[in-house]
Amino acid sequence: MLGTLTAWLSDAKVDLETMGVISLIGLAYAFKFLWSPLLDRVSIPGLVRLGRRKQWLVVAQLGLGVMLMLMAQMDPNSAVGLFSLCAGVGAFASATQDIVIDAWRVDVADETATLDTLSAVYQLGYRAAVLVGGALSLFMADAMGWTFVYTLMGGIMLAVGLASLYAPDTHIS
């Protein structure tokens, strides 16, 4: 997300100082260890029935999808504060998704779906997401604009969040 965000800000002629400050949202990934214990201990009211991991996974993915779609509707120059806030919330949601997917993968592993297999599938999905969210997004933005790209990526994340409702439950309380 940070690579395409930087490209968008550059296309929008946002000054370098502002871009530097906005790039600090990438620190969410470096500090995700700070809130990861909370994801094990705190349940989201009304979503507990989804399971310990899925409740956070669905919220993180839907939150990221909404943030991407909101950002798509903004001009980074005229709404830099709100734009940055949405980008920060999106980075937090994305880092939360990483935490939960790692924990979910360990919890659902069994004799059929081994941790090795689940890790390989995760890596395949991660690399595909990097290609689509990175290089393909840059080509698409050049042809169709950033509004289209961020709306599309937000829609994809919303669909992934809804699909996560059907992921296997961890059955661990």
Side-chain angles (χ1 to χ4, degrees):
M1 180 171 131
L2 193 55
T4 57
L5 182 62
T6 303
W8 184 5
L9 295 173
S10 180
D11 281 354
K13 307 284 190 264
V14 172
D15 65 87
L16 287 176
E17 289 175 355
T18 303
M19 286 173 62
V21 171
I22 292 173
S23 73
L24 292 175
I25 66 169
L27 290 175
Y29 293 94
F31 292 107
K32 64 185 183 181
F33 70 91
L34 294 174
W35 70 90
S36 64
L38 291 174
L39 301 180
D40 270 343
R41 293 178 182 85
V42 177
S43 292
I44 302 170
L47 297 178
V48 176
R49 61 183 166 73
L50 291 177
R52 189 171 72 171
R53 307 292 184 206
K54 279 179 25 179
Q55 65 181 322
W56 285 106
L57 181 61
V58 169
V59 168
Q61 290 172 333
L62 294 177
L64 178 56
V66 168
M67 289 304 114
L68 290 170
M69 293 189 96
L70 285 174
M71 290 169 63
Q73 304 310 310
M74 294 181 208
D75 173 17
N77 275 312
S78 63
V80 70
L82 186 57
F83 187 86
S84 299
L85 178 64
C86 287
V89 171
F92 180 78
S94 182
T96 298
Q97 172 188 245
D98 284 358
I99 294 165
V100 177
I101 287 174
D102 286 342
W104 177 85
R105 201 170 17 137
V106 170
D107 288 351
V108 299
D110 59 18
E111 299 82 32
T112 307
T114 65
L115 189 55
D116 291 344
T117 302
L118 292 171
S119 294
V121 171
Y122 170 79
Q123 282 299 317
L124 179 66
Y126 173 79
R127 301 214 185 268
V130 167
L131 284 172
V132 170
L136 184 59
S137 291
L138 293 173
F139 285 118
M140 289 171 55
D142 190 45
M144 295 172 253
W146 289 108
T147 299
F148 174 80
V149 169
Y150 268 66
T151 301
L152 178 64
M153 295 305 158
I156 290 170
M157 280 309 304
L158 290 173
V160 168
L162 293 175
S164 293
L165 290 169
Y166 300 100
D169 194 2
T170 57
H171 302 292
I172 295 174
S173 56

